[in-house]
PDB file of all heavy atoms in Angstrom:
ATOM      1  N   TRP M  57     -62.312  89.829  41.224  1.00 96.00           N
ATOM      2  CA  TRP M  57     -61.557  88.846  40.461  1.00 96.00           C
ATOM      3  C   TRP M  57     -60.453  89.520  39.641  1.00 96.00           C
ATOM      4  O   TRP M  57     -59.330  89.022  39.565  1.00 96.00           O
ATOM      5  CB  TRP M  57     -62.490  88.058  39.548  1.00 96.00           C
ATOM      6  CG  TRP M  57     -61.783  86.941  38.839  1.00 96.00           C
ATOM      7  CD1 TRP M  57     -61.465  86.860  37.518  1.00 96.00           C
ATOM      8  CD2 TRP M  57     -61.268  85.751  39.426  1.00 96.00           C
ATOM      9  NE1 TRP M  57     -60.796  85.693  37.247  1.00 96.00           N
ATOM     10  CE2 TRP M  57     -60.654  84.988  38.402  1.00 96.00           C
ATOM     11  CE3 TRP M  57     -61.256  85.246  40.730  1.00 96.00           C
ATOM     12  CZ2 TRP M  57     -60.050  83.759  38.634  1.00 96.00           C
ATOM     13  CZ3 TRP M  57     -60.646  84.018  40.964  1.00 96.00           C
ATOM     14  CH2 TRP M  57     -60.057  83.295  39.925  1.00 96.00           C
ATOM     15  N   GLY M  58     -60.760  90.657  39.046  1.00 97.00           N
ATOM     16  CA  GLY M  58     -59.733  91.399  38.315  1.00 97.00           C
ATOM     17  C   GLY M  58     -58.605  91.852  39.225  1.00 97.00           C
ATOM     18  O   GLY M  58     -57.431  91.858  38.827  1.00 97.00           O
ATOM     19  N   ALA M  59     -58.957  92.230  40.465  1.00 97.00           N
ATOM     20  CA  ALA M  59     -57.939  92.639  41.434  1.00 97.00           C
ATOM     21  C   ALA M  59     -57.019  91.480  41.776  1.00 97.00           C
ATOM     22  O   ALA M  59     -55.793  91.657  41.905  1.00 97.00           O
ATOM     23  CB  ALA M  59     -58.610  93.179  42.694  1.00 97.00           C
ATOM     24  N   VAL M  60     -57.592  90.286  41.920  1.00 97.00           N
ATOM     25  CA  VAL M  60     -56.782  89.106  42.244  1.00 97.00           C
ATOM     26  C   VAL M  60     -55.789  88.811  41.121  1.00 97.00           C
ATOM     27  O   VAL M  60     -54.607  88.533  41.365  1.00 97.00           O
ATOM     28  CB  VAL M  60     -57.695  87.890  42.506  1.00 97.00           C
ATOM     29  CG1 VAL M  60     -56.858  86.618  42.656  1.00 97.00           C
ATOM     30  CG2 VAL M  60     -58.532  88.103  43.762  1.00 97.00           C
ATOM     31  N   LEU M  61     -56.250  88.861  39.885  1.00 96.00           N
ATOM     32  CA  LEU M  61     -55.368  88.610  38.745  1.00 96.00           C
ATOM     33  C   LEU M  61     -54.235  89.637  38.691  1.00 96.00           C
ATOM     34  O   LEU M  61     -53.076  89.297  38.403  1.00 96.00           O
ATOM     35  CB  LEU M  61     -56.171  88.642  37.445  1.00 96.00           C
ATOM     36  CG  LEU M  61     -57.246  87.559  37.276  1.00 96.00           C
ATOM     37  CD1 LEU M  61     -57.995  87.752  35.963  1.00 96.00           C
ATOM     38  CD2 LEU M  61     -56.638  86.172  37.349  1.00 96.00           C
ATOM     39  N   SER M  62     -54.563  90.898  38.955  1.00 97.00           N
ATOM     40  CA  SER M  62     -53.533  91.950  38.942  1.00 97.00           C
ATOM     41  C   SER M  62     -52.556  91.785  40.104  1.00 97.00           C
ATOM     42  O   SER M  62     -51.352  92.009  39.952  1.00 97.00           O
ATOM     43  CB  SER M  62     -54.200  93.324  39.002  1.00 97.00           C
ATOM     44  OG  SER M  62     -55.068  93.524  37.906  1.00 97.00           O
ATOM     45  N   LEU M  63     -53.092  91.404  41.269  1.00 97.00           N
ATOM     46  CA  LEU M  63     -52.232  91.180  42.431  1.00 97.00           C
ATOM     47  C   LEU M  63     -51.237  90.058  42.155  1.00 97.00           C
ATOM     48  O   LEU M  63     -50.060  90.143  42.529  1.00 97.00           O
ATOM     49  CB  LEU M  63     -53.088  90.845  43.656  1.00 97.00           C
ATOM     50  CG  LEU M  63     -52.323  90.527  44.946  1.00 97.00           C
ATOM     51  CD1 LEU M  63     -51.578  91.755  45.439  1.00 97.00           C
ATOM     52  CD2 LEU M  63     -53.283  90.020  46.026  1.00 97.00           C
ATOM     53  N   LYS M  64     -51.701  89.004  41.486  1.00 96.00           N
ATOM     54  CA  LYS M  64     -50.800  87.895  41.144  1.00 96.00           C
ATOM     55  C   LYS M  64     -49.646  88.387  40.274  1.00 96.00           C
ATOM     56  O   LYS M  64     -48.501  87.982  40.455  1.00 96.00           O
ATOM     57  CB  LYS M  64     -51.578  86.787  40.430  1.00 96.00           C
ATOM     58  CG  LYS M  64     -52.439  85.949  41.344  1.00 96.00           C
ATOM     59  CD  LYS M  64     -52.797  84.604  40.740  1.00 96.00           C
ATOM     60  CE  LYS M  64     -53.682  84.738  39.533  1.00 96.00           C
ATOM     61  NZ  LYS M  64     -54.118  83.400  39.034  1.00 96.00           N
ATOM     62  N   ARG M  65     -49.921  89.276  39.345  1.00 96.00           N
ATOM     63  CA  ARG M  65     -48.867  89.787  38.461  1.00 96.00           C
ATOM     64  C   ARG M  65     -47.856  90.617  39.256  1.00 96.00           C
ATOM     65  O   ARG M  65     -46.647  90.533  39.020  1.00 96.00           O
ATOM     66  CB  ARG M  65     -49.474  90.633  37.347  1.00 96.00           C
ATOM     67  CG  ARG M  65     -50.409  89.859  36.426  1.00 96.00           C
ATOM     68  CD  ARG M  65     -50.660  90.616  35.143  1.00 96.00           C
ATOM     69  NE  ARG M  65     -49.431  90.690  34.371  1.00 96.00           N
ATOM     70  CZ  ARG M  65     -49.059  91.756  33.669  1.00 96.00           C
ATOM     71  NH1 ARG M  65     -49.805  92.849  33.663  1.00 96.00           N
ATOM     72  NH2 ARG M  65     -47.939  91.752  32.977  1.00 96.00           N
ATOM     73  N   ILE M  66     -48.335  91.420  40.199  1.00 96.00           N
ATOM     74  CA  ILE M  66     -47.427  92.238  41.009  1.00 96.00           C
ATOM     75  C   ILE M  66     -46.538  91.350  41.873  1.00 96.00           C
ATOM     76  O   ILE M  66     -45.316  91.535  41.942  1.00 96.00           O
ATOM     77  CB  ILE M  66     -48.240  93.208  41.894  1.00 96.00           C
ATOM     78  CG1 ILE M  66     -48.919  94.279  41.029  1.00 96.00           C
ATOM     79  CG2 ILE M  66     -47.347  93.865  42.937  1.00 96.00           C
ATOM     80  CD1 ILE M  66     -49.874  95.180  41.796  1.00 96.00           C
ATOM     81  N   ILE M  67     -47.145  90.371  42.543  1.00 96.00           N
ATOM     82  CA  ILE M  67     -46.381  89.521  43.454  1.00 96.00           C
ATOM     83  C   ILE M  67     -45.416  88.629  42.686  1.00 96.00           C
ATOM     84  O   ILE M  67     -44.268  88.425  43.105  1.00 96.00           O
ATOM     85  CB  ILE M  67     -47.344  88.689  44.330  1.00 96.00           C
ATOM     86  CG1 ILE M  67     -48.132  89.620  45.266  1.00 96.00           C
ATOM     87  CG2 ILE M  67     -46.566  87.655  45.153  1.00 96.00           C
ATOM     88  CD1 ILE M  67     -49.124  88.919  46.168  1.00 96.00           C
ATOM     89  N   LYS M  68     -45.850  88.098  41.537  1.00 95.00           N
ATOM     90  CA  LYS M  68     -44.954  87.268  40.735  1.00 95.00           C
ATOM     91  C   LYS M  68     -43.773  88.073  40.205  1.00 95.00           C
ATOM     92  O   LYS M  68     -42.684  87.541  40.012  1.00 95.00           O
ATOM     93  CB  LYS M  68     -45.725  86.641  39.566  1.00 95.00           C
ATOM     94  CG  LYS M  68     -46.686  85.546  39.971  1.00 95.00           C
ATOM     95  CD  LYS M  68     -45.955  84.275  40.402  1.00 95.00           C
ATOM     96  CE  LYS M  68     -45.324  83.557  39.234  1.00 95.00           C
ATOM     97  NZ  LYS M  68     -44.671  82.288  39.663  1.00 95.00           N
TER      98      LYS M  68
END
Side-chain angles (χ1 to χ4, degrees):
W57 186 251
V60 172
L61 296 178
S62 300
L63 178 66
K64 284 200 294 185
R65 297 196 67 218
I66 291 173
I67 294 179
K68 288 289 288 183

